[in-house]
Amino acid sequence: MLFNSLPFILGFLPLVLLGYWFLARRDGPRLAFLLVASLIFYGYWDWRFEGLLLGSIGVNWLLAEAYFRSRNGAIPAVGIVLNLASLAVFKYLGFFASIVSDVTGWQAYLPTILLPIGISFFTFHNIMYLADLRTGKAPRYRLIEFALYISLFPQILAGPLVRYYEIVPQLRLSPRREGWEARLAQGIALFLLGLGKKILFADALASHADPVFANAALGAVTPGEAWTAALAFPFQIYFDFSGYSDMAIGLGLMLGFTLPLNFNAPYRSTGLREFWQRWHMTLSRFLRDYLYIPLGGNRHGLGRQIMALLLTMGLGGLWHGAGWGFVLWGLLHGAGLCAGVLWRRFLRPMPVALGWVLLMLFLLVTWVLFRAPSLAAAGHIYAAMAGGVGLTRPDALRTILLAACVALLGPTSQEIAARLRPYAWLAPAAALATALLLFKLGDGPAYEFIYFRF
Amino acid sequence: MSSSISGSDGQSWHRLIRRYLLATVVLWLVLAAFVLAVDPYDTGRFALLPSRGVPDFGQRLSFASIGRRPGIDAAVFGNSTIQLLDPERLSRLTDDHFVSLAVPGSGPREQIAIADWFRRHHRGERLTLVFGLDSTWCTTETPIPIIYPFPFWLYSDSRIDYALGMMRYKSIEAAIRKIKMLLGRERSATADGYHDYDTGHAWKGLDVEAVEPAPERPTASGADFTAPPLLRKFVDHLGPETRIVLVEVPRYAETLPRTDAASQHLEACKSAYRAIAAARPGSVMLDFLVDDAMTRQDENFWDSVHYRSPVARLIESRIASALAPEPN
């Protein structure tokens, strides 16, 4: 079920909110209701994956129970390997087989495996818990608490990547505790802002970028098409994913939970390190805490740090998708971060304006790799961009410029929601926006959120 | 963010949320009533404004209006492979009053939806329905593919489907355009639905190299095709006096099937439609999908499936002959 669909907004969400709030003061039934709702939400996409999700919850919880009984550190390690193995089978088997085939010429027969939606996210949730279990940081949870940590519907499909300690204690709080009215209002506001970002910006930009990337997979494109797609996609993915995150955080607030921030005006960054502190922030901190630091971080010399950065970002790229474009994208970001480390160590601080310009150029080039369906398609885009500068249509330029202004200058959704006060004019203004957005949703099949593919 | 939330003004927030929810429902209902009452596509359902045609919304959205116009009793259905047939000429050559309801890029399901809309708005009349049959009518796929989105809700028999389908932002834009049209600030769509892609356009020659030969097909029987049952079901609802003309539209001869299996496939498909026409008095199938002097001539085609005006004139005259009353 998409957040940006009428069945979700007019059916699922009101029913779940009513039920959840009706059971506000009864912890057990309330959490059971939320779990059932979350499982329905997940199964609505494809009920066949419900078994995978339930199996994942059951196996990981049983492993945690076994660990608490035996205190055997190998158990969480086995759990982490199992989670990675399941991700490898569902997401990377075809990619790995193609590498083997390219290298050895051996063609393995592989059944077609559908990618279960959200698997990258709920696998990471499991891994975070198991890894902290191993270091003695994670507490013991009841099955329903653990099941909700993994399957909570606002975050199961595309995050934010929440730490167990950020959400599980909140499950025990009544949604009707003090301040519920303001939380509910802020939740609605964030959901609307996210929906607006998705429909008005991300989908509008997608209509300019998507056809060009599809054509690039078939052959050459014109310079105008290539520049249009390359300039549109950075803002498309920002409004798409940050819009989704706003909606997820808003849904959390409607249920009485505070989910972590995921975006903080990333295109205002003046360097790549700052960009990753503002872009997909919950993934960044996962990569930092569970890959970069265990690999040595910055405490074991420059050589080790560079190796850790490259490996972390390369694997981070691979996490986004099974393809060389994602790996290369990750490695380039790793290399960019290494360049930043070396610059800061050996040279004077870079002027802020120059840093911003260099970052934007770097992102412009690397997002093409991320988005293009293949390296050859990315090559077609680059070749066309090198052949001249232009845009396909004036309306593409207008949409891109407007999106850029909002992304760079406008307040973030979080800032708007935090500044909200119960002014009387807000009700009709928000109602008009809601009614128009509902009509806008009726226009056609909703575009899927980009991060659902990862 | 939660740090900024305090319970001190809970009552104000509570009031705001209540008002927001109420205002959302009211505004949504107002917008819904607005688009239904304006009836931008001139369907005659829930309309409060006068019916005076529609702005040019494109064939998919304009044909609900044209299809229910009084005073017409004949229509051409199909896609761009039949749209060059001129309803005015057809009307002149026959005793009928034609409109063109051909939708480029459409297939059997869309065309039958429009034809059924036409039928429902001309009940009890003696109708003449011309269908252009192209390769989409010989599909064996289930369900029959739809290449471009089509507003089935607009042509639906159900007022609920229609009302739900209207709940989209494009309906608001369409309603505003309709009001502009009624105020004389926007032109209306052509009254007969005709779009001529040939006249006034310089023909630069048929790109023979771009012409692809017919794809290989397995041998098939009439039962393998999924579109004929759809047409048969539609025809069963027609009044006894209504005549249908099925036109196997011409293709450039080089794209006709060459292998035995592909030829047999095409013949089996044609037979299925020939049987439908034969079962109905006054109805006929005209087969232009053949290798002859006309389909072999480059000058007759823009591309392998889109013919030029002389071919359209020939088809029009053959239709008129087929519809002409037999001499006593």
Side-chain angles (χ1 to χ4, degrees):
Chain A
M1 210 179 294
L2 292 170
F3 290 170
N4 57 333
S5 68
L6 291 175
F8 178 82
I9 296 172
L10 299 180
F12 182 86
L13 182 58
L15 286 176
V16 169
L17 286 179
L18 281 174
Y20 191 71
W21 281 69
F22 179 73
L23 298 167
R25 297 191 199 288
R26 300 164 64 199
D27 278 6
R30 188 184 76 241
L31 295 185
F33 175 81
L34 189 56
L35 179 60
V36 170
S38 295
L39 293 175
I40 291 171
F41 174 83
Y42 186 75
Y44 185 87
W45 198 270
D46 191 331
W47 61 269
R48 289 172 296 175
F49 297 140
E50 201 80 81
L52 177 73
L53 177 64
L54 288 170
S56 172
I57 291 168
V59 168
N60 283 289
W61 184 76
L62 285 173
L63 285 170
E65 284 297 297
Y67 170 76
F68 281 113
R69 282 176 196 167
S70 67
R71 297 286 166 181
N72 181 348
I75 295 174
V78 168
I80 292 171
V81 170
L82 283 177
N83 277 288
L84 290 174
S86 129
L87 195 59
V89 168
F90 281 100
K91 190 165 175 176
Y92 298 107
L93 200 59
F95 179 55
F96 293 151
S98 74
I99 295 172
V100 171
S101 169
D102 288 346
V103 174
T104 66
W106 178 63
Q107 295 279 349
Y109 167 74
L110 286 178
T112 306
I113 300 176
L114 292 176
L115 178 67
I117 190 165
I119 189 171
S120 305
F121 288 89
F122 68 72
T123 302
F124 270 25
H125 280 132
N126 280 317
I127 288 174
M128 280 193 273
Y129 181 68
L130 292 171
D132 284 2
L133 212 55
R134 200 155 173 262
T135 53
K137 288 187 214 157
R140 192 171 189 168
Y141 289 132
R142 291 184 292 143
L143 177 58
I144 192 157
E145 291 173 329
F146 184 74
L148 275 169
Y149 167 54
I150 300 299
S151 68
L152 194 64
F153 78 85
Q155 45 136 59
I156 186 174
L157 298 184
L161 285 163
V162 186
R163 304 278 175 92
Y164 50 89
Y165 58 76
E166 288 172 318
I167 188 68
V168 177
Q170 296 190 68
L171 294 173
R172 297 165 193 148
L173 303 174
S174 163
R176 299 198 65 170
R177 65 188 182 277
E178 193 183 348
W180 68 266
E181 302 95 336
R183 271 194 303 278
L184 184 58
Q186 286 188 326
I188 293 170
L190 272 176
F191 188 84
L192 279 181
L193 288 167
L195 188 61
K197 277 178 167 180
K198 171 69 177 156
I199 296 176
L200 303 178
F201 288 104
D203 290 353
L205 291 161
S207 69
H208 295 295
D210 285 0
V212 179
F213 282 107
N215 286 341
L218 303 174
V221 293
T222 66
E225 289 172 333
W227 278 100
T228 300
L231 287 169
F233 183 69
F235 297 108
Q236 180 200 344
I237 191 167
Y238 167 65
F239 283 106
D240 190 283
F241 195 22
S242 73
Y244 175 85
S245 298
D246 291 342
M247 293 166 90
I249 295 169
L251 289 167
L253 280 170
M254 290 183 215
L255 295 166
F257 310 134
T258 304
L259 298 177
L261 196 61
N262 220 15
F263 286 86
N264 185 20
Y267 291 135
R268 286 185 210 159
S269 310
T270 55
L272 192 55
R273 184 174 64 166
E274 186 189 353
F275 174 78
W276 278 103
Q277 288 162 352
R278 290 167 171 267
W279 178 275
H280 203 175
M281 294 149 75
T282 57
L283 174 69
S284 297
R285 66 181 191 179
F286 175 92
L287 294 175
R288 182 195 64 202
D289 295 347
Y290 296 94
L291 264 177
Y292 176 65
I293 292 175
L295 285 169
N298 60 2
R299 300 258 171 101
H300 298 86
L302 190 58
R304 181 87 174 263
Q305 187 183 3
I306 284 175
M307 185 275 296
L309 274 174
L310 285 174
L311 207 54
T312 300
M313 296 310 289
L315 287 170
L318 186 63
W319 174 82
H320 284 85
W324 286 115
F326 290 112
V327 177
L328 197 52
W329 171 80
L331 287 172
L332 282 172
H333 272 262
L337 289 169
C338 292
V341 167
L342 294 173
W343 185 288
R344 282 188 295 278
R345 179 165 291 198
F346 299 113
L347 298 169
R348 285 186 200 169
M350 185 181 288
V352 168
L354 179 62
W356 182 81
V357 170
L358 286 178
L359 176 68
M360 292 304 117
L361 289 173
F362 177 82
L363 294 174
L364 182 77
V365 171
T366 50
W367 277 132
V368 170
L369 268 179
F370 184 94
R371 174 61 182 84
S374 63
L375 290 180
H380 289 141
I381 299 270
Y382 290 138
M385 288 169 78
V389 178
L391 289 171
T392 47
R393 300 198 312 246
D395 60 328
L397 178 63
R398 272 199 306 273
T399 311
I400 293 168
L401 280 179
L402 184 62
C405 285
V406 174
L408 289 165
L409 306 173
T412 65
S413 313
Q414 308 294 325
E415 287 166 349
I416 294 172
R419 283 185 211 151
L420 275 188
R421 293 293 172 266
Y423 302 122
W425 59 265
L426 259 180
L432 183 63
T434 308
L436 288 174
L437 285 173
L438 288 176
F439 268 77
K440 197 77 186 157
L441 279 180
D443 268 350
Y447 281 79
E448 193 179 285
F449 288 97
I450 294 174
Y451 263 68
F452 282 13
R453 297 171 210 156
F454 303 146
Chain B
M1 186 188 316
S2 56
S3 60
S4 68
I5 301 166
S6 80
S8 58
D9 46 8
Q11 283 298 322
S12 311
W13 282 114
H14 199 179
R15 206 167 33 246
L16 182 77
I17 293 166
R18 271 206 323 265
R19 284 180 180 167
Y20 159 73
L21 292 174
L22 184 67
T24 299
V25 173
V26 169
L27 281 171
W28 189 87
L29 287 173
V30 166
L31 286 172
F34 170 69
V35 293
L36 290 176
V38 171
D39 187 19
Y41 304 117
D42 186 26
T43 67
R45 293 174 286 203
F46 309 111
L48 291 183
L49 292 185
S51 164
R52 285 190 213 144
V54 287
D56 190 357
F57 294 128
Q59 289 98 331
R60 282 170 174 74
L61 294 166
S62 299
F63 284 175
S65 172
I66 298 172
R68 74 182 195 95
R69 265 184 50 205
I72 55 168
D73 55 11
V76 177
F77 306 97
N79 52 31
S80 59
T81 62
I82 195 88
Q83 82 172 74
L84 208 53
L85 266 57
D86 183 350
E88 195 185 317
R89 282 199 185 84
L90 279 169
S91 299
R92 268 205 313 271
L93 293 170
T94 64
D95 292 335
D96 301 314
H97 303 90
F98 268 92
V99 288
S100 174
L101 299 178
V103 177
S106 64
R109 283 166 62 190
E110 301 95 304
Q111 292 161 29
I112 286 178
I114 295 178
D116 199 48
W117 169 267
F118 182 79
R119 174 191 70 81
R120 295 199 309 270
H121 286 84
H122 298 277
R123 285 185 209 271
E125 297 175 40
R126 177 180 183 271
L127 304 176
T128 302
L129 313 179
V130 176
F131 282 89
L133 309 181
D134 71 338
S135 60
T136 63
W137 286 84
C138 289
T139 181
T140 52
E141 287 183 62
T142 307
I144 297 169
I146 291 172
I147 308 294
Y148 299 102
F150 184 81
F152 285 100
W153 52 269
L154 185 59
Y155 299 92
S156 168
D157 204 10
S158 157
R159 290 163 80 90
I160 294 173
D161 283 353
Y162 164 72
L164 290 176
M166 283 293 285
M167 299 304 117
R168 59 189 66 215
Y169 193 76
K170 285 195 174 89
S171 304
I172 301 176
E173 292 176 325
I176 292 168
R177 284 183 64 188
K178 173 73 177 280
I179 291 170
K180 278 186 183 170
M181 189 201 85
L182 291 173
L183 294 172
R185 290 172 51 199
E186 177 156 349
R187 285 168 57 185
S188 56
T190 57
D192 61 5
Y194 184 48
H195 289 78
D196 182 350
Y197 61 72
D198 188 45
T199 311
H201 297 89
W203 184 72
K204 291 172 184 161
L206 173 67
D207 185 356
V208 179
E209 288 190 1
V211 169
E212 290 183 18
E216 187 53 73
R217 301 264 188 228
T219 55
S221 73
D224 294 329
F225 302 105
T226 45
L230 215 61
L231 182 63
R232 204 174 297 118
K233 190 175 164 199
F234 166 72
V235 167
D236 287 345
H237 285 97
L238 296 172
E241 294 203 323
T242 289
R243 298 171 300 173
I244 56 167
V245 180
L246 305 181
V247 179
E248 286 283 355
V249 289
R251 296 174 62 99
Y252 182 56
E254 289 299 318
T255 69
L256 289 169
R258 296 287 166 217
T259 66
D260 288 347
S263 300
Q264 188 276 339
H265 186 99
L266 179 59
E267 283 312 312
C269 179
K270 285 182 182 177
S271 296
Y273 292 109
R274 205 171 277 122
I276 292 174
R280 193 169 184 84
S283 297
V284 67
M285 187 173 106
L286 303 175
D287 188 3
F288 296 91
L289 190 55
V290 290
D291 186 346
D292 62 9
M294 183 265 282
T295 57
R296 254 180 259 132
Q297 201 169 341
D298 292 4
E299 289 76 13
N300 280 337
F301 289 88
W302 280 95
D303 57 35
S304 55
V305 294
H306 295 106
Y307 44 85
R308 303 189 60 219
S309 294
V311 178
R313 300 299 84 84
L314 173 73
I315 298 174
E316 286 159 5
S317 61
R318 290 278 302 279
I319 290 172
S321 303
L323 292 173
E326 288 182 17
N328 290 323

